[in-house]
Amino acid sequence: MNVMQKRTQANTEADMESLFQGAIIDENGREIPITREMITEACHELENSRHHYALDYSAQRDKRLS
């Protein structure tokens, strides 16, 4: 491992999170930091919407086939 790799290697979860930061700019120009919780919630919402879409699609397909 070279010196640069040692400097950029995250040692803890907090170090890892500080390496990957992002923000959303709101309508007033303020930066809202993107948190792990925000990403987790968005992933859950996406999964739920996919599940509902799959159920709706299956119901429509069953109607066409019967």
Side-chain angles (χ1 to χ4, degrees):
M1 180 180 297
N2 67 34
V3 175
M4 189 62 172
Q5 288 171 325
K6 285 182 182 178
R7 293 177 73 197
T8 59
Q9 182 181 13
N11 294 325
T12 66
E13 189 172 321
D15 290 340
M16 186 64 140
E17 286 195 19
S18 70
L19 288 176
F20 301 102
Q21 294 181 355
I24 298 170
I25 308 298
D26 72 5
E27 62 274 357
N28 296 318
R30 294 177 296 193
E31 286 189 10
I32 310 296
I34 298 171
T35 64
R36 178 182 298 268
E37 291 80 22
M38 292 166 76
I39 294 169
T40 301
E41 183 178 336
C43 289
H44 287 301
E45 288 178 18
L46 179 60
E47 278 298 313
N48 287 338
S49 71
R50 291 182 59 212
H51 178 71
H52 292 302
Y53 174 78
L55 290 176
D56 289 343
Y57 178 78
S58 294
Q60 290 175 5
R61 186 192 64 208
D62 290 346
K63 284 181 184 178
R64 285 192 307 257
L65 295 175
S66 54

